Amino acid sequence: FSGWTNKFIFPPYEFAINNSLVTNLHLPYSTMLMMTCAFGGYDLVMKAYDEENDKMLCDAILNKESYDEICKTSSEDLIMANYNQQPIDLKGQLYTHFNTYKDTDKPGFRRICCVTDTADSGDDWLCSIVYGETYDKKAYIIDVLFTQDSVENTIERQAQFLRKNHVNVSVTESNNGGKMYALAVKKRLSELKYFCTFKWFHQSSNKYARILTNSADVMRRVYFPENWETRFFDYYTAMSDYQKQDVNEHDDAADATTMIIELMDGRLKTN
């Protein structure tokens, strides 16, 4: 057949010939999704998980146990896009891609550094990132401490974190008690017989403006472990979901990552 047609397929509809359909993911409310529902059945195509009743839409295809296991190893945005018909807002994301590396491909490092942004308020995150700095001023993320635990409870963790990763230089934003936190960590490290250079700085520039203007350098010069989406799940989610518009609930991950670029470029006025 060749020519125009005004036939519109919508559920319910009985197909006379086809018994299979190969298709891609479709946007919510699209006509293609409507046609796929007509063919495969609404219950099999739409949201996999019924949150209100805490059960799966079709156990024969994906049971609750398997779904929960997937949720443990995937980011929330991927779960919602792949299984619940809520696509990722890629258009609004600040970071459109991230460079990754294999552990076997790490280059030689000029020094091992750690940047730390302590929590500004009770619901903020402490973000501490250890990275190796290359001679051509690129950063390879080695380890991340990203937690909402209180500052008092993270001093021991931070000290062990620095020692475990053989950090040479630790730089902390001194705003909101950051300097006192750094000094407490330094004291604990000396008790552990491990010594590294501690520096701190006061941040007076607009946080959102800094993150925005350095985002291109983060995407170009910062390398993350290839399994970082599972290894540093909360940090990965915070970076991946960060929006261009200043509507983010938290910016601790993006702020600390921006500090890496600023430190490598000599733009942080440390003590």
Side-chain angles (χ1 to χ4, degrees):
F1 174 80
S2 176
W4 288 95
T5 179
N6 62 356
K7 187 173 184 62
F8 189 92
I9 298 175
F10 58 91
Y13 182 86
E14 292 186 6
F15 287 81
I17 301 174
N18 302 68
N19 59 11
S20 62
L21 175 68
V22 178
T23 184
N24 202 344
L25 293 174
H26 301 304
L27 292 175
Y29 313 114
S30 68
T31 55
M32 288 297 294
L33 179 59
M34 186 175 290
M35 184 197 73
T36 306
C37 284
F39 184 81
Y42 183 88
D43 288 348
L44 298 183
V45 175
M46 299 306 290
K47 290 179 63 175
Y49 173 57
D50 180 358
E51 187 174 1
E52 183 177 345
N53 297 307
D54 190 30
K55 65 178 184 179
M56 304 307 295
L57 198 63
C58 181
D59 283 322
I61 293 178
L62 181 65
N63 60 42
K64 185 66 164 56
E65 184 179 354
S66 298
Y67 180 75
D68 289 341
E69 195 63 32
I70 293 170
C71 290
K72 292 177 183 178
T73 58
S74 299
S75 65
E76 183 179 0
D77 51 6
L78 291 177
I79 293 296
M80 297 308 292
N82 289 341
Y83 299 98
N84 294 290
Q85 293 296 327
Q86 294 185 26
I88 303 169
D89 182 16
L90 293 176
K91 192 174 182 180
Q93 287 179 312
L94 177 61
Y95 304 109
T96 57
H97 72 275
F98 297 100
N99 294 319
T100 59
Y101 72 93
K102 296 181 179 179
D103 284 337
T104 55
D105 296 335
K106 276 192 291 193
F109 295 137
R110 171 175 170 261
R111 59 180 180 174
I112 304 296
C113 298
C114 179
V115 293
T116 302
D117 178 24
T118 57
D120 295 335
S121 60
D123 63 342
D124 279 345
W125 295 72
L126 179 143
C127 185
S128 192
I129 307 171
V130 172
Y131 66 94
E133 181 181 334
T134 64
Y135 289 91
D136 57 350
K137 294 187 176 181
K138 291 179 181 177
Y140 286 72
I141 306 299
I142 298 172
D143 205 354
V144 175
L145 176 61
F146 192 59
T147 177
Q148 284 185 301
D149 203 357
S150 66
V151 169
E152 295 78 10
N153 292 337
T154 53
I155 291 174
E156 177 67 24
R157 289 179 64 188
Q158 180 83 42
Q160 298 291 349
F161 179 72
L162 296 176
R163 184 174 72 162
K164 177 186 72 173
N165 290 295
H166 310 290
V167 172
N168 308 125
V169 180
S170 177
V171 178
T172 305
E173 184 182 292
S174 64
N175 304 43
N176 301 300
K179 180 179 178 180
M180 297 302 296
Y181 176 79
L183 289 172
V185 173
K186 181 180 181 180
K187 178 182 178 183
R188 178 57 185 142
L189 268 182
S190 66
E191 294 170 353
L192 296 171
K193 308 300 182 185
Y194 184 85
F195 301 93
C196 73
T197 301
F198 276 81
K199 298 182 179 182
W200 45 82
F201 69 98
H202 178 76
Q203 185 58 264
S204 56
S205 301
N206 180 273
K207 184 180 294 187
Y208 174 68
R210 289 175 41 251
I211 293 171
L212 189 63
T213 56
N214 286 284
S215 60
D217 268 328
V218 168
M219 290 185 284
R220 183 169 59 90
R221 297 166 57 194
V222 178
Y223 291 76
F224 301 84
E226 61 178 355
N227 62 341
W228 73 301
E229 66 272 15
T230 54
R231 186 176 168 192
F232 314 131
F233 177 77
D234 290 325
Y235 172 69
Y236 166 81
T237 302
M239 290 293 291
S240 299
D241 291 349
Y242 196 84
Q243 298 291 297
K244 294 177 186 176
Q245 302 298 322
D246 192 9
V247 294
N248 302 282
E249 184 178 0
H250 299 288
D251 47 26
D252 314 279
D255 188 19
T257 308
T258 297
M259 287 165 55
I260 293 174
I261 299 296
E262 294 172 325
L263 182 61
M264 288 195 301
D265 290 348
R267 289 185 275 127
L268 294 182
K269 296 181 178 179
T270 59
N271 62 311

